[in-house]
Amino acid sequence: AQTVTQSQPEMSVQEAETVTLSCTYDTSESDYYLFWYKQPPSRQMILVIRQEAYKQQNATENRFSVNFQKAAKSFSLKISDSQLGDAAMYFCAYRSSLREAGSYQLTFGKGTKLSVIP
Amino acid sequence: DTEVTQTPKHLVMGMTNKKSLKCEQHMGHRAMYWYKQKAKKPPELMFVYSYEKLSINESVPSRFSPECPNSSLLNLHLHALQPEDSALYLCASSQASTGRQETQYFGPGTRLLVL
């Protein structure tokens, strides 16, 4: 079974600075997908970014980028020019490329709570 | 449009009540999910519907009863709940396809309190 580990329960960053959230995972599969979701105190889970394992190029979405190290099974999220609205719980998630019972399940890490200091 | 809607936003119920949570999406997705989330924890998968058929039931107690009337709607019927069932209930949907497009999109959740 796959596991996802987020080793930083809480982090903080100054507004306008850069912060990196860590995520490691364990899998025996070669093809899979990785996601970062953000959950603000308003509680809706919002997709931040996704990465296909077969792509060597790191995904980017505006101020959000990932450092995907397949051999090391590492998938960190970098947030540049941090804004107050970035304060949230961030979950790293893994999805196998193998279909299980007609759908794809996500395996979540325990989350990292990010605070942004004005 | 990546919107999943859920009603109600908040629900308070007694242990003898019967209530239902509703989830709706109009993205043409064919997989829909119910998750339970406790505070400061990741979501826990409860049920998965794929093409309107229940494909995964993660050993959820029978006091939770899911229903998928059509491809756009997902309900969760609640009966005789326990206080420990108090949580945020999240609905999600996805295309149920292969590849990169298979991404789950979440609704805003229903905050449930069982007294």
Side-chain angles (χ1 to χ4, degrees), chain A residues 11-17 82-84 86-87 114-118:
Chain A
M11 291 194 71
S12 62
V13 61
Q14 289 284 143
E15 197 175 2
E17 297 294 311
S82 296
Q83 300 175 359
L84 295 177
D86 294 333
L114 178 66
S115 300
V116 180
I117 303 166

Side-chain angles (χ1 to χ4, degrees), chain B residues 1 4 9 19 59 69 80 96:
Chain B
D1 182 12
V4 178
K9 290 185 179 180
K19 297 286 184 182
S59 302

Side-chain angles (χ1 to χ4, degrees), chain B residues 45-61:
Chain B
L45 184 65
M46 299 175 71
F47 303 103
V48 181
Y49 274 84
S50 180
Y51 292 86
E52 296 90 69
K53 293 184 179 179
L54 183 65
S55 60
I56 293 177
N57 176 342
E58 292 287 1
S59 302
V60 178

Side-chain angles (χ1 to χ4, degrees), chain A residues 6 10 33 35 37 39 41-47 50-52 54-55 59-61 89 91-92 95-97 99-111 113, chain B residues 2 4 8-10 31 33 35 37 40-45 48-51 55-56 58 88 90 94 96-111:
Chain A
Q6 293 179 251
E10 295 189 22
Y33 299 82
F35 304 84
Y37 282 91
Q39 189 174 34
S42 63
R43 78 196 179 198
Q44 182 159 8
M45 294 271 284
I46 302 166
L47 177 68
R50 61 189 163 201
Q51 174 80 43
E52 296 91 334
Y54 61 84
K55 287 189 175 181
T60 63
E61 289 286 345
M89 194 75 147
F91 292 100
C92 178
R95 173 172 72 76
S96 170
S97 64
R99 176 164 290 194
E100 178 178 341
S103 64
Y104 293 106
Q105 293 190 67
L106 292 175
T107 301
F108 287 95
K110 291 187 176 182
K113 182 180 179 182
Chain B
T2 56
V4 178
K9 290 185 179 180
H10 302 274
Y33 310 75
Y35 289 88
Q37 187 181 26
K40 300 183 180 180
K41 299 289 186 182
E44 298 174 22
L45 184 65
V48 181
Y49 274 84
S50 180
Y51 292 86
S55 60
I56 293 177
E58 292 287 1
L88 179 67
L90 293 167
S94 69
S97 65
T98 58
R100 184 176 184 271
Q101 291 74 22
E102 183 55 26
T103 297
Q104 290 187 31
Y105 295 93
F106 287 82
T110 293
R111 177 76 64 190

Side-chain angles (χ1 to χ4, degrees), chain A residues 17-111:
Chain A
E17 297 294 311
T18 296
V19 65
T20 298
L21 308 184
S22 300
C23 173
T24 58
Y25 57 94
D26 188 24
T27 184
S28 59
E29 298 172 350
S30 59
D31 192 18
Y32 48 86
Y33 299 82
L34 297 164
F35 304 84
W36 278 100
Y37 282 91
K38 165 187 176 181
Q39 189 174 34
S42 63
R43 78 196 179 198
Q44 182 159 8
M45 294 271 284
I46 302 166
L47 177 68
V48 176
I49 201 165
R50 61 189 163 201
Q51 174 80 43
E52 296 91 334
Y54 61 84
K55 287 189 175 181
Q56 291 188 346
Q57 186 175 8
N58 290 323
T60 63
E61 289 286 345
N62 302 314
R63 298 182 294 108
F64 298 88
S65 62
V66 298
N67 183 4
F68 174 49
Q69 300 290 330
K70 190 172 183 179
K73 297 180 183 176
S74 171
F75 182 60
S76 60
L77 175 69
K78 185 172 83 171
I79 306 174
S80 304
D81 185 26
S82 296
Q83 300 175 359
L84 295 177
D86 294 333
M89 194 75 147
Y90 286 81
F91 292 100
C92 178
Y94 172 102
R95 173 172 72 76
S96 170
S97 64
L98 300 174
R99 176 164 290 194
E100 178 178 341
S103 64
Y104 293 106
Q105 293 190 67
L106 292 175
T107 301
F108 287 95
K110 291 187 176 182

